[in-house]
Amino acid sequence: MNKNKIRTKKSNYKNNKDKDFIVKNNDELLSFLFKCFPSQSRNSIKSLLSSHQVLVNGASITQFNFKLYPKDVVTICYSRPKIKKDNSLPFKIIYEDDEFIVIDKPTRLLSIATDKEKGQTVYRYLTDYVQRKDKHNRVFIVHRLDEDTSGVMMVVKDAKLKELFTSNWNELVSKRGYYALVDGVMKEKEGTYSSYLKKNAQTMMYSSKDKKGQYAVTHFKQIKASNLYTLLDVNIDTGRKNQIRVHLFEHGYPVVGDDKYGEPSNPLNRLGLHAYELDIKHPITGKLFKFKSDIPQSFLSLFKSK
């Protein structure tokens, strides 16, 4: 690590903006912090931990021997964050054992921290949850849902298991089912959209014929239709960023409430996308797990006869 880039003068140590450090090798938190701030005293570093000013992937950590893994993001908060005393979770746990936690993620909740939001995330809530049992426990994100997408989301509790899932995700997942509520009445009762997805300068995804993009396949089938909306059962072969939203928008049927792709109506005051099923095989035992979430009643409410 380049010490010239991470050295911070003691005089302005607490007056800087929050700073992120990317973990490159397995380490323990206190040891990693010493490497990041070689000019700081041991007591000064420990005070950051005790003051809840050290975050790992957006979750406040106080354990000096907390284990770190490559690609973890350690954030130093120079202003003391507010400590949440409420231990309740803003979502339902669908399933939990010694290896997994599966939740029904609500809309408008990030999976993991971003530059703009580090506190209110699935990762943060579940880290706090498992650490109430043991301060050394942690969780690992193996897949994500968009902030505005609700539904089934799985995390694991072991670093080795996380690596097995993420490196073999497409082979282990046999179904990723979504309910999508779109503007307009689709002519096709069912079908498949496929394209190569690329990202533009505004970080928007779009379809391209360039095979250097990420190949994406989206299958859909109509469930209900009115004179304004169509409710779809969508299954994806590939989990590309925003792929369902992009494919439906580009074919003239934007997902309702989607202010990123198109200008559809917003009858639900939320994005009309819900992950209802994840079927996945355990990478070690081969056991098949099926995790499901009910369709939001608000989706169905638009098709009730008047």
Side-chain angles (χ1 to χ4, degrees):
M1 188 175 289
N2 188 333
K3 292 184 178 182
N4 292 327
K5 291 185 178 181
I6 59 178
R7 187 179 298 275
T8 304
K9 293 182 179 180
K10 193 169 184 178
S11 60
N12 63 2
Y13 180 62
K14 295 184 179 180
N15 296 320
N16 290 326
K17 295 181 180 179
D18 294 353
K19 193 172 183 66
D20 291 338
F21 298 95
I22 308 298
V23 178
K24 295 182 178 179
N25 303 295
N26 291 354
D27 209 336
E28 290 189 348
L29 185 53
L30 186 62
S31 171
F32 181 77
L33 292 174
F34 286 148
K35 296 170 186 174
C36 292
F37 299 102
S39 64
Q40 301 304 315
S41 69
R42 187 178 185 87
N43 287 339
S44 178
I45 297 295
K46 283 188 171 182
S47 70
L48 284 176
L49 291 169
S50 61
S51 300
H52 297 268
Q53 289 175 260
V54 179
L55 310 180
V56 178
N57 300 326
S60 175
I61 302 297
T62 59
Q63 295 73 51
F64 67 90
N65 59 348
F66 187 79
K67 291 183 179 180
L68 299 177
Y69 298 90
K71 298 183 181 180
D72 279 341
V73 180
V74 176
T75 303
I76 309 302
C77 299
Y78 289 97
S79 59
R80 295 189 181 187
K82 295 180 179 179
I83 301 174
K84 184 181 178 183
K85 296 182 179 180
D86 183 6
N87 289 334
S88 62
L89 295 173
F91 44 73
K92 173 186 175 183
I93 292 180
I94 298 172
Y95 176 87
E96 181 179 7
D97 61 18
D98 292 338
E99 296 180 310
F100 310 139
I101 302 178
V102 183
I103 70 164
D104 196 346
K105 188 186 88 64
T107 184
R108 300 191 184 93
L109 180 64
L110 287 165
S111 298
I112 199 166
T114 65
D115 291 339
K116 294 181 179 180
E117 176 58 58
K118 298 188 183 299
Q120 308 301 312
T121 67
V122 170
Y123 181 87
R124 174 70 177 270
Y125 282 116
L126 288 180
T127 296
D128 291 346
Y129 170 75
V130 298
Q131 288 195 340
R132 288 198 286 273
K133 299 177 182 179
D134 185 328
K135 288 293 185 182
H136 295 92
N137 286 345
R138 63 172 295 174
V139 296
F140 300 87
I141 300 291
V142 292
H143 74 118
R144 305 181 191 184
L145 294 179
D146 292 341
E147 179 180 2
D148 294 325
T149 300
S150 58
V152 177
M153 180 178 166
M154 183 181 80
V155 304
V156 298
K157 300 178 179 180
D158 178 78
K160 292 182 179 178
L161 193 59
K162 181 249 186 182
E163 289 302 318
L164 289 173
F165 270 119
T166 54
S167 60
N168 300 283
W169 186 254
N170 286 334
E171 291 75 25
L172 295 171
V173 175
S174 55
K175 180 172 181 176
R176 279 169 282 191
Y178 291 78
Y179 293 122
L181 182 67
V182 301
D183 253 353
V185 182
M186 294 187 73
K187 295 178 180 178
E188 309 98 321
K189 295 298 181 182
E190 59 183 294
T192 297
Y193 299 143
S194 62
S195 68
Y196 293 92
L197 296 183
K198 301 186 74 174
K199 185 185 296 184
N200 65 18
Q202 291 74 43
T203 71
M204 298 274 286
M205 305 302 293
Y206 66 96
S207 289
S208 169
K209 294 181 179 179
D210 185 354
K211 293 185 178 181
K212 292 183 180 180
Q214 293 183 314
Y215 189 59
V217 180
T218 303
H219 308 285
F220 65 90
K221 184 177 181 179
Q222 286 194 33
I223 301 174
K224 294 178 179 290
S226 70
N227 59 347
L228 294 175
Y229 310 107
T230 304
L231 180 62
L232 302 174
D233 181 344
V234 177
N235 284 269
I236 57 176
D237 292 348
T238 51
R240 308 306 186 191
K241 180 181 178 181
N242 297 162
Q243 89 168 58
I244 296 174
R245 296 161 66 180
V246 171
H247 277 166
L248 292 173
F249 161 66
E250 290 182 339
H251 285 82
Y253 305 102
V255 176
V256 300
D258 193 346
D259 59 4
K260 190 173 183 180
Y261 299 99
E263 297 182 355
S265 61
N266 190 10
L268 305 178
N269 193 30
R270 59 155 291 179
L271 182 71
L273 195 58
H274 179 78
Y276 73 83
E277 184 170 351
L278 175 67
D279 296 356
I280 190 165
K281 186 169 64 174
H282 194 291
I284 299 174
T285 67
K287 180 180 178 180
L288 179 64
F289 290 86
K290 294 187 176 185
F291 304 118
K292 297 182 179 181
S293 170
D294 293 336
I295 186 171
Q297 287 301 307
S298 60
F299 285 29
L300 297 175
S301 67
L302 297 179
F303 299 94
K304 290 181 179 179
S305 57
K306 298 181 179 179

